[in-house]
Amino acid sequence: MAGGGPSVEGMDLTTLDGPTGGPPSQRIAFLGTGSMGLPMARRLLDAGHPLTVWNRTAAKADALVAAGAARATDPTGAVRDADVVLTMLADPAAALAVADAFVPALRPGTIWIDTSTVGPGAVRELTGRLPAGVTLIDAPVMGSVDRAASGELLILAGGDTTPVAGILERLGTVTACGGPGAGAALKLVLINAAIGGVALVGEALALAEALGLPRDLALRTLGQGPLAGAVARATATGSHFPVALAAKDVTLATTATPARLPVLEAVHAALTADPALLAEDLAAVAR
């Protein structure tokens, strides 16, 4: 092999970040350009990566195409020539359905980075569908659309990210979690702690109102204690994490283990009590 660099299934890793001083040469397919996927894909495009995009609702990729990305009409076409595939999809059902469409077209040596929140069970299912020579890294992220746009996501990686370090560093900071599925597992822990914290702030504010205390006073003093992070998220204005997706993440946690999680079960009931809030940001449960 020319250059004598390290390789994965015959792919020369010394070429993946482009020649010295030149643009990145990894050909990337990004599937799922919704509220989170769009700014993530935009950062990779701005870095100079050849980028092909696909989204079930095609119009959601229009801005990327206008900026220079190629549009694929289906998942298979998106990944056919890709060195690296990234997915940001809503839930396990979507991830599995899209995977069924594109996995047969993956070439040996392709690396698939799944940034969706799907849980370790779905990661095992996806891994079991891979053709020989294809690697899946589960890399769900913590952070909303604002951090996706600024490249400040916390990336929870299960598997070896060395061959795609240049891609991931454009998106945020990688935390190595262990082997395949470990990133997906830690994401459930962290996101459910965050969701539960916001729900608790909402209930504390309801209690404060019932006791005749000013909301501002309750928020200020809650923010001076151990719930400071939850208060900050409950009052955030630059984030977009729909209540429906938060409820999905709680369900992933409560069904991932035979152990009962009664607090999270109560949180799920609170999240889904008012259907009018399901499309709103998580902060709506603390209004």
Side-chain angles (χ1 to χ4, degrees):
M1 178 182 299
S7 67
V8 174
E9 296 294 337
M11 182 184 297
D12 184 357
L13 301 186
T14 61
T15 68
L16 294 183
D17 289 325
T20 302
S25 59
Q26 285 168 302
R27 294 167 297 180
I28 299 175
F30 203 113
L31 288 75
T33 56
S35 59
M36 284 293 289
L38 177 62
M40 293 168 67
R42 183 58 183 260
R43 288 191 61 80
L44 298 176
L45 185 63
D46 289 347
H49 284 284
L51 185 69
T52 300
V53 295
W54 174 86
N55 195 76
R56 191 181 302 277
T57 303
K60 291 185 177 182
D62 285 351
L64 292 167
V65 174
R71 188 198 305 272
T73 57
D74 55 47
T76 298
V79 308
R80 184 173 290 114
D81 297 319
D83 301 310
V84 179
V85 175
L86 282 94
T87 48
M88 172 55 86
L89 301 165
D91 53 36
L96 291 165
V98 174
D100 280 344
F102 76 74
V103 161
L106 295 176
R107 298 175 296 113
T110 303
I111 299 173
W112 172 15
I113 306 168
D114 183 32
T115 64
S116 318
T117 301
V118 296
V123 171
R124 287 191 292 271
E125 286 192 61
L126 293 170
T127 301
R129 301 181 185 195
L130 295 180
V134 174
T135 301
L136 172 62
I137 300 169
D138 54 294
V141 300
M142 289 292 292
S144 192
V145 291
D146 50 348
R147 290 187 176 272
S150 61
E152 297 178 292
L153 295 169
L154 173 60
I155 303 166
L156 309 172
D160 180 14
T161 62
T162 303
V164 290
I167 289 175
L168 295 178
E169 70 181 11
R170 290 289 303 170
L171 304 178
T173 302
V174 175
T175 294
C177 302
L186 184 58
K187 173 63 186 284
L188 292 189
V189 173
L190 299 185
I191 195 61
N192 276 278
I195 294 167
V198 172
L200 181 56
V201 168
E203 193 146 302
L205 292 174
L207 175 61
E209 182 180 9
L211 294 173
L213 294 169
R215 177 182 175 89
D216 288 349
L217 173 64
L219 276 173
R220 186 173 71 252
T221 50
L222 283 167
Q224 293 170 345
L227 288 176
V231 170
R233 181 59 185 86
T235 56
T237 57
S239 301
H240 183 64
F241 179 35
V243 171
L245 290 183
K248 177 266 296 184
D249 290 350
V250 175
T251 297
L252 286 175
T254 57
T255 57
T257 169
R260 282 205 62 225
L261 301 171
V263 173
L264 286 179
E265 290 170 3
V267 168
H268 186 273
L271 293 174
T272 56
D274 184 357
L277 294 182
L278 291 177
E280 298 291 323
D281 179 66
L282 178 62
V285 305
R287 287 176 187 159

